[in-house]
Amino acid sequence: MKKVQLLILLLVAGSMMYGREYQVSTGGNNAGTVPEVKETPDRIDSLLSRLRNLSDDYVFVVSHRGDWRNAPENSLQAVERCIAMGVDMVEIDIRLTRDSIPVLMHDASIDRTTDGKGKVADYTLEELRRFRLKDGLGTTLALQQIPTLEEVMTLCRDRVLVNVDKADEYMDKVRRVLKSTGTARQVVYKGSRPYRQVRERYGTLLDSILYMPMILSERDDMDAYINDFIEHYHPVAFEISYRSTSSPIYMQIGKLKQAGCRVWTNSLWPSNNAGHDDERAVLDPAANWGWIVEQGTNIIQTDRPRELLDYLKQAGRR
């Protein structure tokens, strides 16, 4: 653990060469100084309590792959920026190296986000350390390496909730890391399988974790899918995606809220939210992020965390 903590300090220190306040710009409106958020020992307790409580107007902000507009996506720096600005949850993607080490990488290959080529699964961790991550403009950052899940969770401990994507296939290895870093309670898992399959796959573990069902495309078993989860598990939230307000998925929002579940909507792309995405929201926050909230959403995953936080505070939703 001491070695991991030392490596994190070195990597974040390397990031600071671009400015102590992470003044790394890739052309987005998030560029510039990120104000430090005061952290308290009970921050995770507070967030978890709020996540389960629908009695207030608080809207959770989830940052997609960290603050990737101003730091390499899925990097320590991207995560640290989110923590500093006060994001509630950071979404990260998990892949497994050839020597079975969970690392952060969205794609199966490293081509898009590093100066290397090939699949993550074809490299050992030591071999992957040779490569450097790229920022949003595709520029190689010499001091940014692919982080391990252990490094990221050590950084996040007691500071922010974490949504792990693509972790389903490596559950045993992910859980081992979470236990060793003392961060198991901070993590939200998700997937699209029906309840019975999830229960069979996770067993009794399902009762001790936060699992979020996803409805990202229309399904023939929509009612049964939702009803089974609500009746047998009662998840804290459902992640939904709808192309229009005539979508059968959109029409489930009222049912989910009535059942006492939070509704997670992605503002990433127009197809997620009936055309009320981040890029439109930057120009007109109320007509886009505000519209998403008005439909019943109380968790938003965004690629514009700084602007969304500012808007929600001004709107009295935080």
Side-chain angles (χ1 to χ4, degrees):
M1 182 64 71
K2 289 183 178 179
K3 289 182 178 179
V4 172
Q5 291 172 333
L6 177 59
L7 181 54
I8 290 172
L9 289 173
L10 290 173
L11 289 172
V12 173
S15 301
M16 293 177 184
M17 291 184 68
Y18 294 92
R20 169 62 185 89
E21 294 158 324
Y22 299 105
Q23 295 175 324
V24 180
S25 172
T26 57
N29 291 334
N30 275 350
T33 298
V34 175
E36 292 292 333
V37 170
K38 184 178 180 180
E39 296 165 15
T40 58
D42 60 350
R43 174 163 167 74
I44 299 303
D45 288 335
S46 176
L47 287 173
L48 290 175
S49 176
R50 194 152 229 169
L51 190 64
R52 297 183 176 97
N53 178 16
L54 300 181
S55 62
D56 63 17
D57 292 331
Y58 190 88
V59 176
F60 274 73
V61 173
V62 184
S63 189
H64 182 229
R65 307 180 199 173
D67 185 19
W68 65 263
R69 289 183 181 276
N70 299 293
E73 71 174 59
N74 279 314
S75 68
L76 289 172
Q77 185 189 19
V79 172
E80 179 62 44
R81 284 184 61 90
C82 292
I83 296 172
M85 72 176 68
V87 161
D88 304 298
M89 190 182 306
V90 177
E91 185 263 1
I92 59 175
D93 303 282
I94 310 299
R95 298 285 179 179
L96 208 63
T97 65
R98 194 175 77 219
D99 48 345
S100 298
I101 305 297
V103 297
L104 267 63
M105 182 65 58
H106 178 272
D107 303 350
S109 80
I110 63 173
D111 297 23
R112 179 177 63 86
T113 56
T114 79
D115 58 353
K117 298 289 183 183
K119 295 181 179 179
V120 176
D122 291 339
Y123 289 100
T124 65
L125 176 60
E126 183 178 357
E127 291 168 341
L128 282 176
R129 294 295 200 192
R130 301 197 311 259
F131 305 118
R132 297 295 180 265
L133 292 168
K134 299 176 182 178
D135 64 14
L137 293 178
T139 303
T140 299
L141 299 180
L143 295 176
Q144 294 286 297
Q145 295 177 309
I146 300 170
T148 65
L149 177 62
E150 184 177 5
E151 291 162 1
V152 171
M153 295 312 300
T154 299
L155 181 67
C156 292
R157 185 171 54 226
D158 298 329
R159 304 175 74 198
V160 69
L161 298 178
V162 180
N163 174 223
V164 290
D165 198 3
K166 302 176 179 65
D168 204 36
E169 301 300 320
Y170 328 117
M171 199 61 185
D172 57 334
K173 296 174 178 60
V174 169
R175 287 290 296 175
R176 197 174 302 132
V177 169
L178 300 184
K179 287 182 179 180
S180 70
T181 55
T183 55
R185 71 189 184 116
Q186 295 175 226
V187 170
V188 176
Y189 303 86
K190 62 185 178 184
S192 300
R193 291 185 176 91
Y195 169 75
R196 302 294 177 184
Q197 293 182 23
V198 173
R199 173 59 75 179
E200 182 179 347
R201 187 176 190 85
Y202 286 71
T204 57
L205 175 62
L206 188 62
D207 300 317
S208 62
I209 64 174
L210 294 173
Y211 180 87
M212 181 176 65
M214 304 164 67
I215 315 174
L216 304 184
S217 59
E218 295 178 18
R219 46 192 309 152
D220 295 335
D221 64 343
M222 181 90 71
D223 287 338
Y225 179 86
I226 293 173
N227 291 340
D228 280 351
F229 270 108
I230 290 175
E231 180 180 353
H232 300 292
Y233 183 64
H234 202 276
V236 293
F238 280 79
E239 179 177 343
I240 65 171
S241 180
Y242 47 90
R243 290 183 175 274
S244 70
T245 54
S246 62
S247 165
I249 301 175
Y250 172 84
M251 296 177 184
Q252 301 297 322
I253 294 177
K255 178 179 181 177
L256 300 178
K257 295 293 290 292
Q258 188 173 8
C261 300
R262 284 188 174 269
V263 175
W264 168 313
T265 299
N266 299 316
S267 59
L268 313 175
W269 306 291
S271 58
N272 297 147
N273 43 59
H276 298 82
D277 60 291
D278 283 332
E279 300 315 299
R280 289 175 173 84
V282 168
L283 300 176
D284 192 342
N288 293 281
W289 287 323
W291 182 90
I292 290 174
V293 172
E294 288 171 1
Q295 309 317 299
T297 289
N298 42 29
I299 303 177
I300 300 178
Q301 180 174 219
T302 180
D303 283 329
R304 297 281 192 175
R306 176 73 272 164
E307 291 93 337
L308 177 55
L309 285 167
D310 289 344
Y311 166 71
L312 291 173
K313 288 174 184 176
Q314 292 169 7
R317 303 307 296 264
R318 291 180 66 83

